[in-house]
Amino acid sequence: MKSWTQPTHEMIENALSSVKKETDRQYFFSRLKNPLWIAPLRERGYFNSPPGVKQLGDEYVQYPHWPELAYLVSVASEATDQVIDIVVNLPKTDNPQVYNYILEIALNLKDRRYAKQLLPKLVEYTELDTQFMAHRYQELVCHWTTQGSIDEALEIVKRLIPFQKDPRSSAKQQLRKEKPNSYGLSLEPIPRFDQFDYQEILEKGVRPLAEKEPYQVALILIKETANMIWMRFHPEDIDKVQDEDFSETWCKRLDVANRSYQDAKQALVYTLTYACQQVYDRSPDSIEALDRELRKQRWKVFRRLRQLLFTTHPTDQTLPWIRELILNHPDYSKWEHRYGFQLMIRKACEHFGPGLLNESQRLAIVTAILSGPSKEDYCEWMGERYCDEAFQKYQRHFHHKQLRPFSPLLSGEHRHYYQELEEEVKTEAVTDESYSPQSSGTSGWVSYRSPKSVEDLEALRDEELLTYLNDWDNEHEDKDNSLVKINISALAGAFRSLFKEMIVPYSERRVYWLENRDRIGRPIYVAAMVKAMEEIVKEKNFENLEQWIEFCSWVLSHQDSERVDGQPNPIDESRDHPDWRSSRRAVVDFIDTCVDKDTDAPMSAARDGLAHLLQQVCNQFDWRLDRDHPVLLNRADPITEAINNTRSRALQSLINFGLWIHRNSLKDPVPEVKGILSKRIASHSDFPLTWPEHALLGMHFGRLCSLIQEWSIEQREILFPQGDQPVWRDAFGSYIRYNWPDKGTFEILQQDFEYALENLTVLTETDIGGKELVDSLGQHLFTGYLWQVYPLTGDTSLLARFYDKTNDDREHWGRLFNHVGHSLRKSGKHLDKGLTDRIVAFFDWRFEAAEPLELKEFTFWLEAECLDPEWRLNSYSKILDLEHMEDINFFMGVKSLNKLLSDHIPLAVECFKKITDALDQRIHSYISAKEAKPILRAGLNAEDSKVRENAESARENLLRRGRFEFLDME
């Protein structure tokens, strides 16, 4: 042990009298390493009162460091009994910084007798709501496990792993009462720590403990897993779900992660499984007690866990439990085995052989399997698609999967029948991974494959190929890989490649397919042809463009299918109930490719034909639009609806068509656009504009103005119908959301901007970000001010009216101020003086309002090189002087000050000093030493005494916060 000098009374008094400042005190105790100071310091009360959390107002708090306890950490190994005696007698505190030091002491001590003494203090730590060092708990559990402090490790684990109820449970419960079908009402309990820390505690702390004391750890984990599942259900649903915990959804495998990322629920179950396996491997005397405990639990995950344990441990002890599970299973004739159940059966049959079940038991199970599945249920499921042949195929597949785990026990006619099922060519190979839920062994992306390759299809004559496409419908999984699906969609993809590469280049073959188009039975192959034509046009091959357009016109002659209750829904892969939507959509995509600026098809060859296609598709029935069957069921997003329906998407293509003409002839009046739109918006239109179409035309209103301005102005009230507020909101909201401000369009829509200001609540009544719409409105109005359409303030200012209307929700002010800062930062080094003058006037106006929610966003203004740097620094300094500015991003602010430092040292240091003054009012704040030290050095070395004073004060503030890296300024 190192020899220390005993301090004299005089030495102690002199030293302590010199550490009056907070920074001196921090520095003194960080350098003190002599354990002989413990007693005199304790006599003087230095270890009596740990600092508590400081409430700073406005819900801000500070967690002070305690340098005295940091000193005890450094001397604990040399004066352990003294340090432990002080620590265990400390009063309870709400400051996690204090307990961090106690945790550090526990980790440094190797003698197990101290764990019991420190346990109560560390239990106090686990009870705090705020945790800074949760990642060290796993170190503590592992440390105590290694040194043999098992009881203490178990006690800490009990405190660490419980879940807490969903923090939004009350709000979800209330919303459930008001809107029981709303999205996102399921409860999600959470651990006390973040996901990574929780997983580390389980994997690096609890698992090693389970190897030492598996049964006790398993009991803890069983209890907390059951509690976690209980918390996933609303109280009124508990009795309804019986044992269903949906664990097969959130934890498909109990022992192997099916992805690199685990959520907290999975991590808990994986650790429970590990602990139970350790019981079987290391503590056989506890196996029976463990099984009793698992049986008591209500939830399915525990039954799955028992099946897994019996699968890996088929023994004479587990045999009766396995037999019981098999004989009591009620659903052999109704539901396919689940993965874990069938695996347990198969392993048990292989291990025990006929001794697993007697003959009568085996016969009863096989008879139950062969009595299923229910023909009535299958008929109800298939509806009009039912046929006896399909049911027989489904029945044999069901029998195959149900009999497979029992195959070692089958005999006689049952074994012969099973072998017959095994040998059937069209029956895909059944493996363990064929049972739901899919295991990690077959996880990955599902891929699709054509039953014939492009080369195989090429070998067929055109007539043979057409017959094959019409007749093939044997969709199935690859026998060697269940993630490979062999289906019609993939066959259509192969045909698309063949059509492009081997049919189109040859006149005779091309003519055959164009002339025999009516014989193509499944629309999916027609869509494949149109997509191939689009690819050819995209490659700027316009040789057969007129033929392609004529073919597309034929496609559009097939109307969108109506859906009839009780009738099978049409699909594009069906011959009996064909759906032409995908083919019609492919035509719209073809039009877009023709008029795209990168393709730029020749107008002489395409204009009339494309206009005819647009005339067709823009004025035809669209089932989803006209019968109000949205694509999205959980939210109303008009633009998403518009671009995912053929007719509304065609309106966008019509505008693209007009822009294509203007690229080739700027003065062309584009009568096609005006004509088609006039027909669509007419009061006598066969298909009135739907809300997604209104929204899409609103979004593109600026482009319409550039194409047909006079008509657009005349139709403004129809396109933005203020008398129908929901439709107006979707149209006008789409315009301001998806368009940069444009002065010409702004002036055309000024009445709508004024209407929006008077009806802000209408904008917010939407499922897709009503607050964002209000923010977009503010951005357009600010730009209107920059254009001098109206003044900054006064009765005629729409911008001033915006601030008045949003006074009750000033978050909008902050987001607009932030938007302006972002825009300025991206504006380069030079702006017109008139613009900068108006921007400065805007800042002065907002500074006078002194709203912290917006002025805290000045950080991006500070980086705007288009504004005078001295003005930026002075403005920032003024903002830092205001009250309640704690939420300013100090990290980014210091970084910006560093950039401005070389030419503006006094102002940069002044601002930095004010930032450090505010640190005590922050919950969390971080200032990069790399960015801050240059500012401090420049200030400390300045000739101006005021600048030096500011730098010294800033440094003192940082040291008071425990930032001792600022002691060394070299």
Side-chain angles (χ1 to χ4, degrees):
M1 181 175 177
K2 184 176 178 180
S3 177
W4 297 99
T5 302
Q6 180 69 47
T8 65
H9 176 79
E10 183 180 5
M11 182 189 303
I12 295 169
E13 291 302 320
N14 288 339
L16 296 180
S17 64
S18 66
V19 290
K20 300 301 184 183
K21 286 186 179 181
E22 177 68 20
T23 49
D24 294 333
R25 178 168 152 265
Q26 296 273 3
Y27 183 81
F28 172 75
F29 282 105
S30 71
R31 294 296 189 269
L32 183 61
K33 303 299 180 185
N34 187 344
L36 300 179
W37 282 68
I38 295 177
L41 288 172
R42 189 177 189 183
E43 290 170 2
R44 289 163 174 79
Y46 272 77
F47 305 117
N48 291 347
S49 303
V53 172
K54 292 183 179 179
Q55 303 293 332
L56 303 175
D58 291 334
E59 300 182 359
Y60 288 99
V61 296
Q62 183 187 46
Y63 303 96
H65 292 271
W66 195 21
E68 289 87 338
L69 191 52
Y71 159 66
L72 292 182
V73 173
S74 68
V75 299
S77 60
E78 298 186 65
T80 306
D81 290 329
Q82 283 181 283
V83 170
I84 294 297
D85 187 54
I86 292 171
V87 168
V88 299
N89 287 291
L90 288 175
K92 191 173 182 179
T93 179
D94 58 358
N95 184 0
Q97 299 282 19
V98 173
Y99 290 106
N100 286 342
Y101 292 126
I102 299 175
L103 177 56
E104 188 71 28
I105 291 170
L107 289 171
N108 289 338
L109 298 180
K110 294 186 171 78
D111 191 330
R112 57 180 293 182
R113 61 194 174 94
Y114 295 117
K116 185 174 182 179
Q117 292 176 265
L118 289 174
L119 176 64
K121 302 309 294 183
L122 292 169
V123 167
E124 288 177 9
Y125 192 10
T126 64
E127 295 170 350
L128 293 186
D129 292 333
T130 303
Q131 301 278 341
F132 289 156
M133 304 289 284
H135 65 281
R136 306 214 65 185
Y137 280 129
Q138 53 94 1
E139 298 178 36
L140 178 66
V141 176
C142 191
H143 176 65
W144 278 355
T145 301
T146 301
Q147 71 178 20
S149 302
I150 302 300
D151 291 341
E152 289 75 21
L154 288 168
E155 191 62 34
I156 283 293
V157 165
K158 291 178 184 178
R159 314 294 178 127
L160 298 178
I161 65 173
F163 274 60
Q164 297 176 317
K165 69 178 183 179
D166 187 332
R168 298 186 59 242
S169 58
S170 298
K172 289 180 178 180
Q173 188 72 10
Q174 183 60 36
L175 182 59
R176 196 169 190 251
K177 294 177 182 178
E178 298 170 358
K179 298 180 179 179
N181 296 320
S182 294
Y183 176 76
L185 295 181
S186 59
L187 297 178
E188 289 295 338
I190 59 173
R192 297 183 54 219
F193 315 108
D194 67 37
Q195 167 63 38
F196 178 79
D197 287 337
Y198 188 71
Q199 187 172 329
E200 290 284 288
I201 290 170
L202 291 170
E203 292 184 357
K204 297 182 180 180
V206 178
R207 286 193 180 215
L209 180 59
E211 294 168 5
K212 295 285 188 179
E213 187 56 59
Y215 179 63
Q216 293 300 327
V217 171
L219 292 182
I220 295 171
L221 294 169
I222 288 170
K223 175 185 175 182
E224 298 310 331
T225 300
N227 287 340
M228 177 270 291
I229 296 172
W230 277 97
M231 286 187 280
R232 286 176 52 80
F233 293 99
H234 291 278
E236 59 270 28
D237 291 339
I238 287 291
D239 293 334
K240 301 176 186 176
V241 297
Q242 299 181 349
D243 68 341
E244 181 55 73
D245 54 17
F246 306 104
S247 59
E248 289 184 330
T249 299
W250 51 263
C251 192
K252 291 183 179 181
R253 291 291 179 267
L254 304 184
D255 55 343
V256 180
N258 61 348
R259 53 183 178 178
S260 59
Y261 167 79
Q262 304 169 28
D263 70 14
K265 301 187 298 296
Q266 288 176 316
L268 178 59
V269 171
Y270 294 150
T271 309
L272 166 61
T273 301
Y274 183 81
C276 291
Q277 289 172 330
Q278 294 301 307
V279 172
Y280 273 74
D281 293 339
R282 297 171 183 264
S283 184
D285 292 343
S286 300
I287 291 176
E288 186 172 356
L290 173 66
D291 193 66
R292 282 199 304 270
E293 196 64 32
L294 290 173
R295 283 170 177 264
K296 292 178 186 177
Q297 308 306 316
R298 165 179 179 170
W299 303 111
K300 181 188 290 184
V301 71
F302 298 104
R303 185 168 72 248
R304 294 174 61 205
L305 178 52
R306 292 183 73 222
Q307 293 168 0
L308 173 62
L309 293 169
F310 301 158
T311 299
T312 55
H313 298 84
T315 66
D316 291 343
Q317 183 180 21
T318 61
L319 172 59
W321 303 336
I322 297 171
R323 184 182 291 134
E324 179 187 21
L325 286 174
I326 293 173
L327 294 177
N328 290 340
H329 183 69
D331 293 327
Y332 286 114
S333 64
K334 188 173 183 181
W335 304 112
E336 289 185 356
H337 304 315
R338 310 304 287 177
Y339 173 85
F341 184 57
Q342 67 84 26
L343 189 60
M344 180 196 72
I345 296 171
R346 183 173 68 78
K347 293 291 187 180
C349 288
E350 293 171 353
H351 182 81
F352 297 110
L356 175 64
L357 301 168
N358 62 38
E359 186 175 351
S360 63
Q361 290 169 336
R362 294 197 298 269
L363 179 61
I365 291 171
V366 173
T367 301
I369 289 173
L370 297 182
S371 69
S374 167
K375 187 173 183 178
E376 291 74 16
D377 291 346
Y378 182 80
C379 183
E380 182 179 350
W381 174 45
M382 296 298 290
E384 293 296 323
R385 294 178 293 168
Y386 172 83
C387 67
D388 286 339
E389 181 182 355
F391 174 70
Q392 290 170 8
K393 181 178 178 181
Y394 169 68
Q395 184 182 50
R396 292 174 74 83
H397 180 71
F398 178 84
H399 290 166
H400 187 194
K401 292 186 72 172
Q402 297 294 83
L403 290 173
R404 177 180 175 271
F406 292 102
S407 60
L409 305 185
L410 298 177
S411 61
E413 62 179 303
H414 295 147
R415 182 163 188 80
H416 177 75
Y417 176 55
Y418 177 73
Q419 290 174 339
E420 180 184 318
L421 296 175
E422 279 273 272
E423 293 168 2
E424 286 185 355
V425 175
K426 291 186 177 180
T427 301
E428 63 181 275
V430 176
T431 68
D432 291 335
E433 309 306 329
S434 303
Y435 296 85
S436 183
Q438 289 285 340
S439 77
S440 59
T442 58
S443 65
W445 297 106
V446 174
S447 60
Y448 304 96
R449 193 177 73 212
S450 170
K452 286 184 180 291
S453 66
V454 175
E455 292 74 17
D456 292 336
L457 295 177
E458 183 183 350
L460 300 175
R461 292 178 301 171
D462 287 323
E463 187 67 25
E464 293 173 331
L465 177 59
L466 178 58
T467 300
Y468 182 78
L469 296 179
N470 284 336
D471 292 347
W472 188 87
D473 63 356
N474 181 30
E475 296 192 327
H476 58 279
E477 294 178 352
D478 183 271
K479 65 179 181 179
D480 298 321
N481 187 346
S482 62
L483 292 175
V484 177
K485 314 298 182 184
I486 300 170
N487 59 16
I488 289 176
S489 175
L491 176 57
F495 172 64
R496 172 179 169 180
S497 298
L498 177 69
F499 181 80
K500 177 186 175 186
E501 303 297 338
M502 300 305 301
I503 294 178
V504 170
Y506 301 98
S507 175
E508 183 177 347
R509 298 197 72 184
R510 183 175 69 251
V511 169
Y512 172 88
W513 285 93
L514 295 180
E515 289 184 349
N516 286 277
R517 59 198 183 193
D518 287 311
R519 295 175 57 200
I520 302 173
R522 305 178 195 273
I524 191 171
Y525 299 121
V526 174
M529 294 171 68
V530 177
K531 290 173 183 176
M533 296 171 185
E534 180 193 356
E535 291 175 2
I536 292 169
V537 170
K538 188 175 290 186
E539 295 168 0
K540 295 184 178 291
N541 181 346
F542 306 120
E543 182 179 354
N544 300 298
L545 184 56
E546 293 181 4
Q547 287 182 304
W548 304 154
I549 291 175
E550 192 277 331
F551 184 84
C552 288
S553 181
W554 169 78
V555 173
L556 293 178
S557 69
H558 297 82
Q559 300 287 332
D560 195 3
S561 302
E562 184 70 88
R563 274 59 174 168
V564 180
D565 290 341
Q567 296 293 323
N569 284 335
I571 56 175
D572 63 356
E573 299 177 0
S574 172
R575 296 182 64 177
D576 299 325
H577 303 282
D579 182 7
W580 286 86
R581 276 187 300 173
S582 64
S583 302
R584 293 166 56 80
R585 177 58 180 267
V587 169
V588 174
D589 291 338
F590 172 83
I591 296 170
D592 275 334
T593 296
C594 287
V595 302
D596 187 86
K597 66 180 185 302
D598 293 329
T599 305
D600 206 17
M603 285 182 57
S604 58
R607 178 169 180 170
D608 291 344
L610 295 178
H612 176 67
L613 294 179
L614 288 165
Q615 178 71 40
Q616 286 180 275
V617 71
C618 287
N619 290 282
Q620 290 177 328
F621 172 73
D622 188 297
W623 175 73
R624 283 196 178 278
L625 290 173
D626 294 318
R627 297 295 181 260
D628 194 22
H629 280 267
V631 175
L632 302 176
L633 298 179
N634 60 343
R635 63 192 183 109
D637 184 344
I639 295 300
T640 299
E641 294 295 331
I643 63 178
N644 281 287
N645 286 292
T646 302
R647 190 180 69 209
S648 47
R649 172 68 182 273
L651 291 176
Q652 181 169 279
S653 301
L654 176 63
I655 296 169
N656 292 337
F657 171 84
L659 296 174
W660 169 62
I661 294 174
H662 266 199
R663 284 199 304 272
N664 290 274
S665 178
L666 183 59
K667 295 184 179 180
D668 194 303
V670 288
E672 299 94 336
V673 176
K674 178 179 177 180
I676 293 173
L677 286 180
S678 295
K679 183 175 181 180
R680 278 307 319 279
I681 69 173
S683 58
H684 57 274
S685 174
D686 292 338
F687 303 106
L689 282 181
T690 57
W691 62 276
E693 292 173 298
H694 264 288
L696 186 135
L697 291 176
M699 181 175 74
H700 289 295
F701 185 74
R703 295 176 180 85
L704 285 176
C705 289
S706 69
L707 292 171
I708 43 177
Q709 185 178 78
E710 184 177 342
W711 180 89
S712 300
I713 294 173
E714 291 173 354
Q715 309 305 324
R716 180 188 65 81
E717 294 183 5
I718 295 176
L719 297 176
F720 300 97
Q722 295 178 7
D724 188 339
Q725 286 188 335
V727 172
W728 172 86
R729 177 197 62 223
D730 290 337
F732 183 73
S734 296
Y735 171 76
I736 61 175
R737 185 192 298 273
Y738 296 108
N739 289 276
W740 293 106
D742 175 82
K743 186 176 182 181
T745 312
F746 183 91
E747 291 173 341
I748 293 171
L749 292 176
Q750 185 159 341
Q751 292 182 37
D752 290 285
F753 279 100
E754 294 175 355
Y755 182 80
L757 283 170
E758 297 305 316
N759 296 274
L760 284 184
T761 55
V762 176
L763 288 182
T764 59
E765 292 171 354
T766 173
D767 294 339
I768 54 166
K771 286 184 176 292
E772 293 176 12
L773 282 183
V774 177
D775 291 337
S776 297
L777 176 65
Q779 293 166 18
H780 280 259
L781 294 175
F782 173 78
T783 311
Y785 154 68
L786 289 185
W787 289 327
Q788 296 182 287
V789 175
Y790 41 76
L792 177 61
T793 58
D795 295 339
T796 60
S797 171
L798 298 189
L799 182 60
R801 205 184 308 174
F802 172 81
Y803 276 90
D804 181 59
K805 294 291 184 179
T806 55
N807 185 57
D808 292 336
D809 190 357
R810 297 190 176 189
E811 292 283 354
H812 293 297
W813 296 9
R815 288 191 286 270
L816 177 54
F817 199 80
N818 178 277
H819 165 78
V820 176
H822 272 285
S823 301
L824 291 171
R825 189 177 62 161
K826 296 177 182 178
S827 296
K829 295 185 178 182
H830 302 288
L831 274 185
D832 178 80
K833 186 178 184 304
L835 284 176
T836 58
D837 288 346
R838 287 191 286 279
I839 290 166
V840 169
F842 172 76
F843 171 83
D844 291 340
W845 180 50
R846 301 319 308 151
F847 182 79
E848 185 178 351
E851 172 51 57
L853 286 174
E854 58 180 328
L855 294 180
K856 72 176 183 177
E857 306 292 348
F858 188 78
T859 303
F860 292 112
W861 289 64
L862 195 57
E863 298 182 17
E865 295 182 348
C866 59
L867 300 176
D868 177 68
E870 190 169 331
W871 178 87
R872 284 181 270 155
L873 287 166
N874 275 314
S875 298
Y876 191 45
S877 181
K878 291 193 299 182
I879 289 173
L880 292 171
D881 287 334
L882 297 175
E883 294 181 356
H884 308 300
M885 297 307 301
E886 300 85 5
D887 286 339
I888 295 180
N889 188 332
F890 288 161
F891 179 85
M892 293 301 297
V894 173
K895 190 173 182 179
S896 298
L897 292 179
N898 203 11
K899 293 178 181 178
L900 297 169
L901 178 63
S902 58
D903 295 324
H904 304 279
I905 292 175
L907 278 172
V909 174
E910 175 185 306
C911 291
F912 184 69
K913 186 264 182 184
K914 292 179 180 180
I915 286 174
T916 63
D917 285 343
L919 287 179
D920 284 345
Q921 303 174 51
R922 306 296 296 272
I923 300 178
H924 298 296
S925 59
Y926 178 72
I927 292 177
S928 166
K930 179 182 176 181
E931 301 291 346
K933 280 190 174 183
I935 302 173
L936 280 178
R937 278 195 292 265
L940 293 171
N941 295 324
E943 294 181 2
D944 190 321
S945 60
K946 178 61 176 175
V947 177
R948 292 198 305 275
E949 182 182 333
N950 282 336
E952 290 167 357
S953 176
R955 184 169 177 242
E956 178 81 8
N957 288 335
L958 290 167
L959 293 174
R960 187 181 300 114
R961 294 273 296 182
R963 297 295 301 273
F964 300 124
E965 65 268 39
F966 290 101
L967 285 169
D968 181 8
M969 292 302 299
E970 296 300 324

